[in-house]
PDB file of all heavy atoms in Angstrom:
ATOM      1  N   THR L 300     128.369 106.572  77.764  1.00 93.00           N
ATOM      2  CA  THR L 300     128.389 106.900  79.201  1.00 93.00           C
ATOM      3  C   THR L 300     129.369 108.043  79.524  1.00 93.00           C
ATOM      4  O   THR L 300     130.338 108.266  78.805  1.00 93.00           O
ATOM      5  CB  THR L 300     128.812 105.655  80.023  1.00 93.00           C
ATOM      6  OG1 THR L 300     130.061 105.212  79.497  1.00 93.00           O
ATOM      7  CG2 THR L 300     127.777 104.567  79.894  1.00 93.00           C
ATOM      8  N   ASP L 301     129.043 108.730  80.606  1.00 94.00           N
ATOM      9  CA  ASP L 301     129.824 109.885  81.085  1.00 94.00           C
ATOM     10  C   ASP L 301     130.237 109.644  82.527  1.00 94.00           C
ATOM     11  O   ASP L 301     129.633 108.842  83.228  1.00 94.00           O
ATOM     12  CB  ASP L 301     128.934 111.150  81.097  1.00 94.00           C
ATOM     13  CG  ASP L 301     128.482 111.561  79.714  1.00 94.00           C
ATOM     14  OD1 ASP L 301     129.265 111.396  78.769  1.00 94.00           O
ATOM     15  OD2 ASP L 301     127.332 112.032  79.604  1.00 94.00           O
ATOM     16  N   GLU L 302     131.213 110.419  82.990  1.00 96.00           N
ATOM     17  CA  GLU L 302     131.454 110.492  84.439  1.00 96.00           C
ATOM     18  C   GLU L 302     131.783 111.949  84.779  1.00 96.00           C
ATOM     19  O   GLU L 302     131.557 112.838  83.947  1.00 96.00           O
ATOM     20  CB  GLU L 302     132.575 109.537  84.865  1.00 96.00           C
ATOM     21  CG  GLU L 302     133.915 109.744  84.211  1.00 96.00           C
ATOM     22  CD  GLU L 302     134.944 108.755  84.748  1.00 96.00           C
ATOM     23  OE1 GLU L 302     135.138 108.719  85.967  1.00 96.00           O
ATOM     24  OE2 GLU L 302     135.530 108.027  83.955  1.00 96.00           O
ATOM     25  N   ALA L 303     132.235 112.229  85.980  1.00 98.00           N
ATOM     26  CA  ALA L 303     132.565 113.610  86.356  1.00 98.00           C
ATOM     27  C   ALA L 303     133.887 113.596  87.117  1.00 98.00           C
ATOM     28  O   ALA L 303     134.246 112.594  87.736  1.00 98.00           O
ATOM     29  CB  ALA L 303     131.458 114.193  87.232  1.00 98.00           C
ATOM     30  N   PHE L 304     134.599 114.722  87.029  1.00 98.00           N
ATOM     31  CA  PHE L 304     135.906 114.833  87.677  1.00 98.00           C
ATOM     32  C   PHE L 304     135.947 116.126  88.503  1.00 98.00           C
ATOM     33  O   PHE L 304     135.524 117.185  88.029  1.00 98.00           O
ATOM     34  CB  PHE L 304     137.010 114.882  86.623  1.00 98.00           C
ATOM     35  CG  PHE L 304     137.011 113.688  85.702  1.00 98.00           C
ATOM     36  CD1 PHE L 304     136.261 113.687  84.528  1.00 98.00           C
ATOM     37  CD2 PHE L 304     137.719 112.538  86.031  1.00 98.00           C
ATOM     38  CE1 PHE L 304     136.242 112.579  83.684  1.00 98.00           C
ATOM     39  CE2 PHE L 304     137.709 111.422  85.189  1.00 98.00           C
ATOM     40  CZ  PHE L 304     136.962 111.441  84.019  1.00 98.00           C
ATOM     41  N   ASN L 305     136.445 116.001  89.756  1.00 98.00           N
ATOM     42  CA  ASN L 305     136.627 117.248  90.517  1.00 98.00           C
ATOM     43  C   ASN L 305     138.104 117.447  90.864  1.00 98.00           C
ATOM     44  O   ASN L 305     138.943 116.551  90.705  1.00 98.00           O
ATOM     45  CB  ASN L 305     135.709 117.308  91.729  1.00 98.00           C
ATOM     46  CG  ASN L 305     135.920 116.249  92.792  1.00 98.00           C
ATOM     47  OD1 ASN L 305     134.958 115.895  93.446  1.00 98.00           O
ATOM     48  ND2 ASN L 305     137.107 115.764  93.033  1.00 98.00           N
ATOM     49  N   ALA L 306     138.380 118.661  91.323  1.00 98.00           N
ATOM     50  CA  ALA L 306     139.768 119.046  91.587  1.00 98.00           C
ATOM     51  C   ALA L 306     140.388 118.132  92.641  1.00 98.00           C
ATOM     52  O   ALA L 306     139.665 117.568  93.487  1.00 98.00           O
ATOM     53  CB  ALA L 306     139.803 120.499  92.053  1.00 98.00           C
ATOM     54  N   PRO L 307     141.699 117.970  92.602  1.00 98.00           N
ATOM     55  CA  PRO L 307     142.379 117.177  93.612  1.00 98.00           C
ATOM     56  C   PRO L 307     142.087 117.730  95.014  1.00 98.00           C
ATOM     57  O   PRO L 307     141.884 118.933  95.189  1.00 98.00           O
ATOM     58  CB  PRO L 307     143.869 117.376  93.267  1.00 98.00           C
ATOM     59  CG  PRO L 307     143.880 117.760  91.831  1.00 98.00           C
ATOM     60  CD  PRO L 307     142.615 118.535  91.610  1.00 98.00           C
ATOM     61  N   GLY L 308     141.989 116.811  95.981  1.00 97.00           N
ATOM     62  CA  GLY L 308     141.734 117.233  97.360  1.00 97.00           C
ATOM     63  C   GLY L 308     140.260 117.235  97.698  1.00 97.00           C
ATOM     64  O   GLY L 308     139.875 117.376  98.862  1.00 97.00           O
ATOM     65  N   ILE L 309     139.398 117.092  96.669  1.00 98.00           N
ATOM     66  CA  ILE L 309     137.957 117.046  96.936  1.00 98.00           C
ATOM     67  C   ILE L 309     137.506 115.586  96.848  1.00 98.00           C
ATOM     68  O   ILE L 309     137.766 114.924  95.832  1.00 98.00           O
ATOM     69  CB  ILE L 309     137.168 117.887  95.908  1.00 98.00           C
ATOM     70  CG1 ILE L 309     137.598 119.350  95.970  1.00 98.00           C
ATOM     71  CG2 ILE L 309     135.665 117.759  96.135  1.00 98.00           C
ATOM     72  CD1 ILE L 309     136.983 120.218  94.865  1.00 98.00           C
ATOM     73  N   THR L 310     136.861 115.096  97.891  1.00 97.00           N
ATOM     74  CA  THR L 310     136.304 113.726  97.789  1.00 97.00           C
ATOM     75  C   THR L 310     134.804 113.877  97.549  1.00 97.00           C
ATOM     76  O   THR L 310     134.155 114.749  98.127  1.00 97.00           O
ATOM     77  CB  THR L 310     136.531 112.940  99.107  1.00 97.00           C
ATOM     78  OG1 THR L 310     136.086 113.748 100.179  1.00 97.00           O
ATOM     79  CG2 THR L 310     137.993 112.597  99.275  1.00 97.00           C
ATOM     80  N   SER L 311     134.278 113.021  96.685  1.00 98.00           N
ATOM     81  CA  SER L 311     132.865 113.132  96.330  1.00 98.00           C
ATOM     82  C   SER L 311     132.308 111.780  95.913  1.00 98.00           C
ATOM     83  O   SER L 311     133.006 110.971  95.305  1.00 98.00           O
ATOM     84  CB  SER L 311     132.674 114.120  95.172  1.00 98.00           C
ATOM     85  OG  SER L 311     131.348 114.001  94.661  1.00 98.00           O
ATOM     86  N   GLU L 312     131.033 111.607  96.245  1.00 98.00           N
ATOM     87  CA  GLU L 312     130.299 110.413  95.793  1.00 98.00           C
ATOM     88  C   GLU L 312     129.957 110.554  94.301  1.00 98.00           C
ATOM     89  O   GLU L 312     129.666 109.569  93.628  1.00 98.00           O
ATOM     90  CB  GLU L 312     129.015 110.329  96.642  1.00 98.00           C
ATOM     91  CG  GLU L 312     128.116 109.153  96.404  1.00 98.00           C
ATOM     92  CD  GLU L 312     126.749 109.394  97.070  1.00 98.00           C
ATOM     93  OE1 GLU L 312     126.688 110.171  98.063  1.00 98.00           O
ATOM     94  OE2 GLU L 312     125.757 108.847  96.559  1.00 98.00           O
TER      95      GLU L 312
END
Side-chain angles (χ1 to χ4, degrees):
T300 55
D301 296 325
E302 58 179 304
F304 303 89
N305 63 210
I309 299 173
T310 50
S311 168
E312 182 193 334

